[in-house]
Amino acid sequence: MSKKKIIYTRQEMFEFNRAILMKRGVTIEEIATICYQQQSKYNDNVTMGLCIESVEKILSLRDIFHHVQLACEIDRLAEAHAFEGPIQDIILEDLGLFGIDETMGLDVSGLYGTIGQTNFGDIDVNKRGIVKTLNDLGKEDDKCHTFLDDIVGAIAAAASTRVAQVLNEDLAHEVEGIERFSIFDL
Amino acid sequence: MSKKKIIYTRQEMFEFNRAILMKRGVTIEEIATICYQQQSKYNDNVTMGLCIESVEKILSLRDIFHHVQLACEIDRLAEAHAFEGPIQDIILEDLGLFGIDETMGLDVSGLYGTIGQTNFGDIDVNKRGIVKTLNDLGKEDDKCHTFLDDIVGAIAAAASTRVAQVLNEDLAHEVEGIERFSIFDL
Amino acid sequence: MSKKKIIYTRQEMFEFNRAILMKRGVTIEEIATICYQQQSKYNDNVTMGLCIESVEKILSLRDIFHHVQLACEIDRLAEAHAFEGPIQDIILEDLGLFGIDETMGLDVSGLYGTIGQTNFGDIDVNKRGIVKTLNDLGKEDDKCHTFLDDIVGAIAAAASTRVAQVLNEDLAHEVEGIERFSIFDL
Amino acid sequence: MSKKKIIYTRQEMFEFNRAILMKRGVTIEEIATICYQQQSKYNDNVTMGLCIESVEKILSLRDIFHHVQLACEIDRLAEAHAFEGPIQDIILEDLGLFGIDETMGLDVSGLYGTIGQTNFGDIDVNKRGIVKTLNDLGKEDDKCHTFLDDIVGAIAAAASTRVAQVLNEDLAHEVEGIERFSIFDL
């Protein structure tokens, strides 16, 4: 087995993710804001605190860690013109028919169930909040947000689904009043 | 091997699909209209003819045939209270956290690539055209459109992606002027 | 909002799932055995206890609850010849090109990440353990396991991925010795 | 709109794909061989010609073009140590819990329906043919096949599904003897 460090704790993964998102121009609050705006349409009990907590938990998970780190690095390498062959300009120009960024986004957004994936579609097609900003900035010369805007939208969509589930879990228990497993203890 | 007929030709599958959609209250034109409205935002060359052709082709494919037939039958059986256990009311009431209809929709909408899946998310969350009508009607007593609205939205999203690809294929050839494989010859 | 009960606690969902699987001929131990056989190839620290715990947690989740209940009911309704049109025999005969059971299985198996989905492919194609038994029994007249064998294989695949992640999480901490979020606290 | 060339014809995409796979050590015949071995278990009418034709068609499709080009380039950049941060060693060492290569593989393998995705799981877990060779070679110092082995397995799985569908389409028509849409005219 390799001596290189390739397995990280949740705390470490969270910190790496916060740092690389920051470097690429995105804060946790901006992601949580999309989540808040999406869920507050359906439920009065949503708070920014719950949205931020949800984004933070998501950013500490291994699969998300890999997605965030790879997405940010592909964008950076495209800005540096490091890719050879046709894929360099396809990524840098964010070709409309290029869909691997969406494939990754669908994977991330499905973390708490399929409804996250339709939420992601809404955020992606209608360019909500920071996703629009990233998309617009990505059109500047040698600036590339092809993967970042989808990953950010997908995290917001997953957080949105987690918020809905936490609030429903609460609802189930008000109705039931019985003992339960701890919430979201997977 | 079974003597029962379980394999159908594309022509047969198309006709079964058109008939069952009709019976459940949906026409090919209504599906094509969502596709037209979505694509005409991005491209001036979209025609209703191309949208209808796209919906018709999709309705003749085996995977779509299975999805359409099963979705319509699940809804009908829920209306008939044929399911036993908790799933009967979960389907009939279209519980917000129920996501298998979206899982099927994501599968159908991804037929021509991932972008169809984000298009589907937009149609599903924002209830475009006939999808809204179906969703509203589904709230009436003992009327169930839990699976139908997603399948219809997904077919529209797939058609939308096919239209975008046909128009881009044309674009590639205007630029290139070289010989090619026949369009969409998979 | 409906007065009908459609939201259940994790404890209730677990019990409904255990009961319907039992009724259709599957025990938690049989599912855990597939998981144990798959993971013990890669890791000496796997125990049946951890595999059973993983299957039980999975059976208490809302998305899985919906999948298990719907899958078992579709099979039962096909045995009862309750479906109208071509889909009745397609399901009852388990047509090789029918893929919606696999679509549902892929959704369930991806619960803890994509690797569960390739594990599911292995279980599905090579018919591991109880999956083979279900598949064989399903060929008898008016017996239908078209959806059940995939759901069972998918739960085993998800459990397998959870086991791998629990053991890796442990590994990360032996190496690190630092404080951490609670394991699998999503 | 950009002046850079980012849209290619099917002929061009096929040639770019054949060239980059060759450069990374994979031939069309090696991919077709996995497909042949998988399908000849189920059907006596499979020929290598049909398998090669299927792989070639798949390699001319836009989504596959993007996947093949990106996968090969990520591997090459990892060999060149071009990634910054933890993702560099995670990719180079092919961490078992890293799943984005499988996410891309699942997307590619689902081209002709879900059954391709379970076929892909079988190829991926059991390392069939050239996939095993690539996986083994990828363990050498500074050699990286983390994405390539999955993309190659996924193309084989999609080809396998296409072969099954072509043969079933033929079957449907022997039974029916009626006119039909052209095969695979999407």
Side-chain angles (χ1 to χ4, degrees), chain A residues 107-122:
Chain A
D107 193 45
V108 166
S109 61
L111 183 62
Y112 299 106
T114 314
I115 295 165
Q117 297 177 308
T118 52
N119 285 341
F120 169 63
D122 171 48

Side-chain angles (χ1 to χ4, degrees), chain B residues 1 5 7-14 56-57 60-63 67 107 111-115 117 162 165 168-169 171-173 175-176 178-186, chain D residues 1 5 7-14 56-57 60-63 67 107 111-115 117 162 165 168-169 171-173 175-176 178-186:
Chain B
M1 205 181 178
K5 179 168 169 63
I7 296 182
Y8 295 84
T9 63
R10 290 189 66 172
Q11 186 65 44
E12 289 172 314
M13 296 191 284
F14 170 71
E56 288 181 344
K57 293 231 172 206
S60 75
L61 297 171
R62 192 166 317 277
D63 277 348
H67 273 290
D107 194 45
L111 183 63
Y112 300 106
T114 314
I115 294 165
Q117 297 176 309
R162 184 181 181 275
Q165 291 187 2
N168 266 279
E169 192 85 353
L171 182 61
H173 285 286
V175 178
E176 291 308 310
I178 64 166
E179 210 183 343
R180 56 172 165 174
F181 296 174
S182 67
I183 298 178
F184 287 95
D185 168 23
L186 293 181
Chain D
M1 205 180 179
K5 180 168 169 62
I7 296 182
Y8 295 85
T9 63
R10 290 188 66 171
Q11 188 64 45
E12 288 172 314
M13 294 190 286
F14 170 70
E56 287 181 344
K57 294 232 172 207
S60 76
L61 297 171
R62 193 167 315 278
D63 277 348
H67 273 290
D107 194 45
L111 183 62
Y112 299 106
T114 314
I115 295 164
Q117 297 176 309
R162 184 181 182 275
Q165 292 189 0
N168 267 280
E169 192 84 354
L171 182 62
H173 285 286
V175 177
E176 292 306 311
I178 64 165
E179 209 182 345
R180 55 172 165 175
F181 295 174
S182 66
I183 297 180
F184 287 95
D185 167 24
L186 294 181

